[in-house]
Amino acid sequence: MKTFSNSAAAIAAIGLIAAPATAQELEAQSDYEAPNSEITVTGTMPSDLTGMPEGPTVEGVISARKGDLMQVTMPDGTRTVVAISPATEIRSSGGFLGLDKDKLSSAELLNGLPVEVDTVEWAERGLIATKVALKTKDLKTARMIHNGTDQRFTANEAATEALRGRVANIDEYNVKGTTNVYFDTAKYNLSAESRAQLCQTAQQAEATDNALLLVVGYTDSTGDYEFNQELSEKRATRVVNFLQQECGWKPYRMMVPTGMAEADPAADNTSEQGKAQNRRVAVNILVSKSVDGMATGL
C-alpha cells in the first residue's frame, strides 16, 4: 500500500494546511475549485466499494469541501481530492488509550481537521474513501473554530463575506512575527514571563490587519516519540487556551494548533542549553498574501 504520511514540516508547510476561519465553510461555495487540483468527478457514486482496487492512504488536513468531495493537504503542500461515498466509514478515536471509537457523518469533516484516509481507486475518476479516521480532540477543536466562524459572520456579515471571497483559495501566508515561549523539561505550564510575552504577541497581532495566529509546540530529544508528541500538543494547547482566555484572542482568528514533538529543533540537542531552546512553543503571526495590506481588519 502506498502511504502519504504526516512528517515534520516547516511553518510554511503548516500554514498551507491550516485554512483561515474565513474559509471554514468552503462547502457552501458551489463555485469553489481547489487550485492545482482536479475536483470534478462525474458519474454515480458507488455505494458498494467491495472489490475495487486499493488506493493510497492519505494523511493530512482537510483544506476544502465541495459536496461529496474532500481535499486533503499534506505537510509538504501536496493536495489530494477524495470522494466520500455512502459506504465510507468515518470514525473518531479518543478516550483511554484512544480505544473508544464513534461513528460520524460526513458533515463532521470540517476544514482544518487532521485525518487519515484509506482509499480505493474509482477507475479513471479518482479516489473514494473507504475509511476516514480522526481524533476526537481534533474534531472538538475544528467544531470550535467552525462555530466561532458562524458567530462572526452573523455579527459582521457585510465585511466578512466580502473578505471571504478574496481569501477562499489562498494557501500562502506572510509571517509577520514569531514569539517563542519556553518550558521546563517534561512540563507544559506557563511561566509569568511567558504569559506576559503571549499577551504582548496578541496585542501585536491585533494591530496587524487580517492577522491569524499559528501555534506550534516542540520538545527536546528527551523521552520517546509518543511522550514527546503528546507533550508538544499539550504545550501548544496550553498556549492557545491562554491566548484566548487571558489575552482575548478570538478562536476564529486561530489556526489549528500543531504538536511537532522534537522535529525542527531550534538548537543542538546534545547540550542542555540547546535542549532548553528546543522546549518551546512558537506563536506565529500570519497574514494571507492575498489580503496582506488590506485596510479591512478581521
Side-chain angles (χ1 to χ4, degrees):
M1 177 186 293
K2 295 176 288 184
T3 301
F4 297 141
S5 61
N6 280 314
S7 59
I11 289 173
I14 300 170
L16 289 172
I17 63 176
T22 51
Q24 288 297 320
E25 292 179 312
L26 285 177
E27 61 268 32
Q29 300 184 17
S30 59
D31 61 347
Y32 175 75
E33 182 174 345
N36 303 320
S37 292
E38 180 56 56
I39 200 167
T40 301
V41 177
T42 59
T44 302
M45 185 80 66
S47 58
D48 185 358
L49 307 180
T50 305
M52 298 180 71
E54 186 178 30
T57 297
V58 181
E59 294 185 51
V61 173
I62 298 173
S63 52
R65 286 292 309 277
K66 180 183 177 183
D68 292 329
L69 301 177
M70 173 178 72
Q71 177 181 269
V72 179
T73 302
M74 283 153 279
D76 63 359
T78 303
R79 303 181 186 92
T80 300
V81 174
V82 180
I84 304 299
S85 160
T88 301
E89 179 183 5
I90 305 170
R91 290 191 178 273
S92 66
S93 64
F96 180 65
L97 297 180
L99 297 179
D100 296 338
K101 294 184 181 296
D102 296 321
K103 190 173 183 179
L104 304 172
S105 74
S106 61
E108 298 286 9
L109 298 177
L110 302 171
N111 285 332
L113 183 64
V115 291
E116 178 179 330
V117 187
D118 294 336
T119 69
V120 291
E121 296 182 357
W122 184 17
E124 300 298 323
R125 295 169 177 153
L127 302 174
I128 300 179
T130 57
K131 180 180 179 181
V132 180
L134 55 100
K135 294 182 179 180
T136 301
K137 62 180 181 179
D138 292 333
L139 179 59
K140 290 180 179 178
T141 301
R143 284 172 177 168
M144 178 189 71
I145 295 173
H146 183 77
N147 292 335
T149 303
D150 289 342
Q151 295 165 8
R152 176 171 171 269
F153 283 165
T154 301
N156 306 282
E157 185 176 356
T160 55
E161 283 295 336
L163 183 60
R164 174 199 234 179
R166 299 182 67 173
V167 303
N169 296 338
I170 297 304
D171 57 9
E172 294 184 356
Y173 298 85
N174 289 327
V175 180
K176 295 297 185 178
T178 300
T179 298
N180 289 306
V181 294
Y182 299 95
F183 298 82
D184 292 333
T185 302
K187 303 295 184 182
Y188 56 93
N189 55 301
L190 293 169
S191 66
E193 180 182 1
S194 294
R195 291 166 181 260
Q197 286 180 305
L198 289 173
C199 283
Q200 289 174 1
T201 300
Q203 291 174 1
Q204 179 186 348
E206 189 65 42
T208 303
D209 288 340
N210 307 308
L212 302 168
L213 291 184
L214 172 64
V215 176
V216 187
Y218 300 91
T219 70
D220 60 25
S221 60
T222 305
D224 61 23
Y225 171 78
E226 293 298 334
F227 176 84
N228 284 335
Q229 180 60 40
E230 182 177 356
L231 179 59
S232 65
E233 292 174 358
K234 286 182 177 179
R235 286 173 174 169
T237 300
R238 182 68 186 92
V239 167
V240 167
N241 290 343
F242 184 82
L243 285 166
Q244 294 175 357
Q245 296 167 5
E246 302 297 329
C247 305
W249 191 256
K250 303 301 183 184
Y252 55 75
R253 298 180 67 182
M254 183 78 69
M255 288 182 161
V256 178
T258 304
M260 296 294 288
E262 60 187 83
D264 194 22
D268 195 331
N269 271 305
T270 59
S271 69
E272 290 304 316
Q273 182 179 6
K275 288 182 178 181
Q277 294 180 59
N278 293 330
R279 296 191 299 267
R280 72 198 191 280
V281 166
V283 181
N284 306 281
I285 302 174
L286 304 183
V287 176
S288 169
K289 289 181 178 179
S290 75
V291 299
D292 199 359
M294 287 177 57
T296 303
L298 290 179

